[in-house]
Amino acid sequence: MQEKWWHNAVVYQVYPKSFMDSNGDGIGDLPGITSKLDYLAKLGITAIWLSPVYDSPMDDNGYDIADYQAIAAIFGTMEDMDQLIAEAKKRDIRIIMDLVVNHTSDEHAWFVEACENPNSPERDYYIWRDEPNDLDSIFSGSAWEYDEKSGQYYLHFFSKKQPDLNWENEKLRQKIYEMMNFWIDKGIGGFRMDVIDMIGKIPDEKVVNNGPMLHPYLKEMNQATFGDQDLLTVGETWGATPEIAKLYSDPKGQELSMVFHFEHIGLQYQEGQPKWHYQKELNIAKLKEIFNKWQTELGVEDGWNSLFWNNHDLPRIVSIWGNDQEYREKSAKAFAILLHLMRGTPYIYQGEEIGMTNYPFETLDQVEDIESLNYAREALEKGVPMDEIMESIRVIGRDNARTPMQWDESKNAGFSTGQPWLAVTPNYQAINVQEALANPDSIFYTYQKLVQIRKENSWLIQADFELLDTVDKVFAYIRKDGDRRFLVLANLSNEEQDLTVEGNVKSVLIENTVAQEVFEKQSLAPWDAFCVEMTN
Ligand code: TEU
Ligand code: CA
């Protein structure tokens, strides 16, 4: 196997609107991110996945792009972007750009031309039909919107302001590859590809994900752009199975480095129901089963895993599955330890490293996210009571991840001197970076250590994964490297649990408890977690 830099990398996701505001307009921006690079260097991360910063009307916070080769004025300028890339490079941090090419904004020049001039080549860059079928938008309602002027319907799987691109059009594909090369030439570290599994869609047959042309397109893209570069490419693929993940990430297939699968995230929803029917209680048995499958079926030779609990679309892990009250620090550390020692590239979402929590949303006017707002409108029409709607948004809504980064205990958590675009979580005086850095026992230092462990232990890449049969609430696995055995274990509950693992501790790599004592007592306190090397 050929080792790549991203095999022992840890990626940190920045959501620009909420990370750091440099000019007091209440909106995070590129100079703000640059000003916090020393903080990220201290954490030790090797790359930043930057959510979209391109020119956009911000209907979906930048996932609706009006110009792929310009920076949104609220975030700064192209010079600011160049500076971020350069300053990050000085600290050995690469910038992974968000590539959103399943759709554009309706304000992109292509779509404007397509509407104004139905005979233009751009018309075919999008998907038009005389009659809609019953495909739904992921953001509620029909996936088709009528365009008065040209008398046809266009397809949008997300908001009306996010028309889907027609990947069957070869000229469009070439334009996308040119745009990607523009960014590659700037010296970026790779791409995170938004809903990439949708580009092969066949709307008339209601095929949305994993269409037959998906992989041919990705091979074509690879050859036309990053194929001969040392970049990290990660696809967002909601429906991927290990078999599908191999199609993308087997190096022989020449597509991507890795994908994000969401099978474990699926446990946050009631089976077969839309996400608003959330499932707050974690099914630990299922969680173990899912990770076991991915860790054992997706090897090193034929594919690669991504590891994450959080991103800008998901509730905070410590709130949904951890305990964000009594055991906030301990449960946050337990989830971190459990994940970061698996095989794959770990991703940390901004604020996760200090245990930021969900926001206590009470009224709809506190909500900014288009997905939540569309859902609320539709649910109200159907007669769902307002308090039920707010409860869903509070538990599972995307704004939970998007509240401003909590830097210190000063006004607006040190995020901005102006009024933040989304309210700061009320607990910022207790939970913030300044406080975390000052406390040697903080969640931050657990993450810092985990990043360090990955850099120093190349066995993390290769070593086998073996799930242990433990009591229900305990998740434990062995990584086996030759005749060395590393035990990773977490009690994912608020109760004491029996330790049913035999053997002796040789050395401790990381712990949120005293692992040695756990073995002596054969008993785990709530949220105890550690990684130890075992004597054989
Ligand atoms: O998300 C894809 C996607 O399917 C999400 O809408 C997801 O279903 C939902 O957010 C779960 O709560 C990507 C981006 O990550 C998201 O931010 C964008 O809104 C979306 O694509 C459209 O670009
Ligand atoms: Ca700003």
Side-chain angles (χ1 to χ4, degrees):
M1 166 215 158
Q2 202 199 347
E3 233 175 77
K4 299 279 194 184
W5 65 269
W6 38 263
H7 280 124
N8 63 2
V10 177
V11 183
Y12 185 93
Q13 185 189 352
V14 168
Y15 196 67
K17 218 176 166 184
S18 308
F19 194 60
M20 181 65 201
D21 175 22
S22 70
N23 62 355
D25 66 355
I27 299 171
D29 46 49
L30 290 169
I33 300 168
T34 304
S35 75
K36 294 296 185 185
L37 284 172
D38 285 333
Y39 167 70
L40 296 178
K42 188 178 171 90
L43 183 56
I45 51 103
T46 17
I48 293 172
W49 152 21
L50 189 63
S51 275
V53 290
Y54 315 94
D55 185 23
S56 161
M58 300 286 157
D59 188 53
D60 186 19
N61 286 345
Y63 282 90
D64 48 321
I65 298 174
D67 184 345
Y68 290 101
Q69 286 167 230
I71 300 296
I74 56 166
F75 293 144
T77 62
M78 193 55 90
E79 287 71 53
D80 294 330
M81 186 67 223
D82 292 338
Q83 194 172 3
L84 172 60
I85 296 170
E87 287 297 319
K89 199 171 210 159
K90 283 186 196 160
R91 294 160 177 87
D92 285 328
I93 296 175
R94 307 178 200 228
I95 304 290
I96 316 275
M97 297 298 280
D98 214 314
L99 185 76
V100 189
V101 290
N102 173 68
H103 45 269
T104 66
S105 162
D106 64 341
E107 297 181 30
H108 192 289
W110 297 336
F111 193 73
V112 173
E113 182 65 17
C115 292
E116 272 172 15
N117 191 352
N119 295 320
S120 64
E122 283 82 359
R123 182 77 175 180
D124 190 51
Y125 288 8
Y126 297 89
I127 298 166
W128 300 91
R129 294 289 182 270
D130 292 330
E131 292 298 330
N133 63 10
D134 62 358
L135 281 173
D136 284 331
S137 160
I138 294 164
F139 287 171
S140 305
S142 167
W144 298 95
E145 180 71 8
Y146 188 61
D147 173 47
E148 292 277 347
K149 227 191 279 172
S150 59
Q152 282 191 307
Y153 293 82
Y154 65 86
L155 182 71
H156 65 92
F157 275 117
F158 295 91
S159 100
K160 285 174 195 162
K161 289 182 66 62
Q162 291 168 300
D164 275 61
L165 285 166
N166 175 20
W167 272 72
E168 285 176 22
N169 185 299
E170 196 189 330
K171 191 139 176 259
L172 166 76
R173 298 204 303 277
Q174 294 308 326
K175 293 235 171 212
I176 290 172
Y177 305 152
E178 277 166 33
M179 173 276 283
M180 291 173 70
N181 285 326
F182 165 86
W183 284 103
I184 291 172
D185 291 344
K186 281 193 175 289
I188 61 161
F191 294 104
R192 174 267 182 185
M193 303 186 182
D194 195 61
V195 286
I196 200 68
D197 62 342
M198 292 169 69
I199 62 173
K201 72 195 71 124
I202 311 177
D204 299 327
E205 292 171 23
K206 296 191 205 165
V207 174
V208 183
N209 312 87
N210 301 310
M213 287 304 286
L214 166 62
H215 295 284
Y217 290 153
L218 285 176
K219 287 182 206 299
E220 180 186 83
M221 175 196 279
N222 176 303
Q223 291 308 298
T225 61
F226 52 82
D228 58 356
Q229 312 272 327
D230 193 18
L231 299 188
L232 183 165
T233 49
V234 51
E236 185 202 23
T237 59
W238 275 75
T241 60
E243 280 313 308
I244 293 176
K246 283 182 201 175
L247 297 177
Y248 293 102
S249 66
D250 184 333
K252 293 184 284 300
Q254 302 201 320
E255 294 187 20
L256 308 179
S257 315
M258 64 189 98
V259 292
F260 293 120
H261 78 79
F262 289 80
E263 208 177 336
H264 57 312
I265 299 300
L267 300 177
Q268 296 179 357
Y269 319 131
Q270 287 173 28
E271 222 181 308
Q273 297 285 335
K275 69 180 250 180
W276 307 105
H277 297 257
Y278 58 85
Q279 172 68 50
K280 203 162 182 301
E281 198 188 328
L282 171 60
N283 184 334
I284 298 170
K286 281 258 171 66
L287 187 77
K288 293 193 228 179
E289 196 184 301
I290 290 169
F291 274 109
N292 186 37
K293 178 171 78 183
W294 281 87
Q295 288 290 306
T296 53
E297 290 184 21
L298 198 59
V300 211
E301 302 297 338
D302 57 355
W304 188 246
N305 265 299
S306 311
L307 306 168
F308 70 98
W309 297 122
N310 273 114
N311 68 32
H312 64 292
D313 293 333
L314 305 176
R316 294 285 180 179
I317 187 66
V318 70
S319 293
I320 189 148
W321 284 345
N323 178 329
D324 66 7
Q325 301 297 314
E326 198 185 346
Y327 294 113
R328 187 185 64 87
E329 301 229 347
K330 217 167 164 198
S331 64
K333 290 176 187 174
F335 278 106
I337 292 169
L338 181 62
L339 189 74
H340 280 236
L341 297 152
M342 292 188 190
R343 184 154 57 194
T345 300
Y347 289 72
I348 303 170
Y349 178 68
Q350 67 183 42
E352 182 182 334
E353 78 281 16
I354 56 167
M356 276 177 61
T357 63
N358 275 3
Y359 184 94
F361 294 102
E362 266 162 22
T363 56
L364 215 46
D365 59 352
Q366 296 171 315
V367 177
E368 288 283 341
D369 173 26
I370 181 144
E371 185 188 47
S372 296
L373 292 173
N374 282 1
Y375 157 69
R377 187 164 12 87
E378 199 178 64
L380 279 173
E381 276 166 21
K382 285 187 188 147
V384 181
M386 195 62 191
D387 56 339
E388 248 175 61
I389 295 174
M390 287 316 299
E391 174 71 10
S392 291
I393 291 176
R394 207 160 34 239
V395 175
I396 209 97
R398 304 195 300 180
D399 280 340
N400 285 305
R402 302 176 180 185
T403 60
M405 181 72 181
Q406 293 162 207
W407 293 105
D408 59 39
E409 58 178 29
S410 71
K411 192 167 176 243
N412 302 326
F415 161 73
S416 176
T417 55
Q419 183 65 32
W421 70 279
L422 186 65
V424 174
T425 305
N427 58 24
Y428 74 92
Q429 282 172 328
I431 304 170
N432 62 62
V433 167
Q434 191 183 32
E435 151 74 30
L437 292 179
N439 171 8
D441 269 342
S442 70
I443 302 165
F444 176 90
Y445 291 109
T446 295
Y447 275 91
Q448 185 191 54
K449 191 154 189 191
L450 286 166
V451 175
Q452 197 59 30
I453 289 174
R454 277 209 94 85
K455 285 183 183 162
E456 289 167 0
N457 293 275
S458 61
W459 59 263
L460 278 164
I461 301 172
Q462 306 272 2
D464 285 337
F465 175 100
E466 191 188 305
L467 184 71
L468 294 186
D469 188 13
T470 48
V471 296
D472 186 42
K473 298 283 162 81
V474 175
F475 190 150
Y477 59 89
I478 297 276
R479 298 291 310 270
K480 215 184 277 169
D481 176 47
D483 45 356
R484 297 180 75 184
R485 289 166 74 243
F486 298 90
L487 167 69
V488 182
L489 184 147
N491 173 5
L492 299 180
S493 79
N494 296 324
E495 297 93 41
E496 278 184 25
Q497 303 291 336
D498 291 338
L499 179 76
T500 54
V501 178
E502 286 173 16
N504 297 302
V505 174
K506 185 171 166 192
S507 67
V508 176
L509 278 81
I510 191 161
E511 59 191 0
N512 71 356
T513 175
V514 183
Q516 192 64 54
E517 280 174 17
V518 169
F519 272 83
E520 278 156 25
K521 287 195 238 149
Q522 288 285 299
S523 162
L524 294 152
W527 299 102
D528 269 357
F530 50 78
C531 171
V532 295
E533 183 171 359
M534 304 291 284
T535 58
N536 279 320

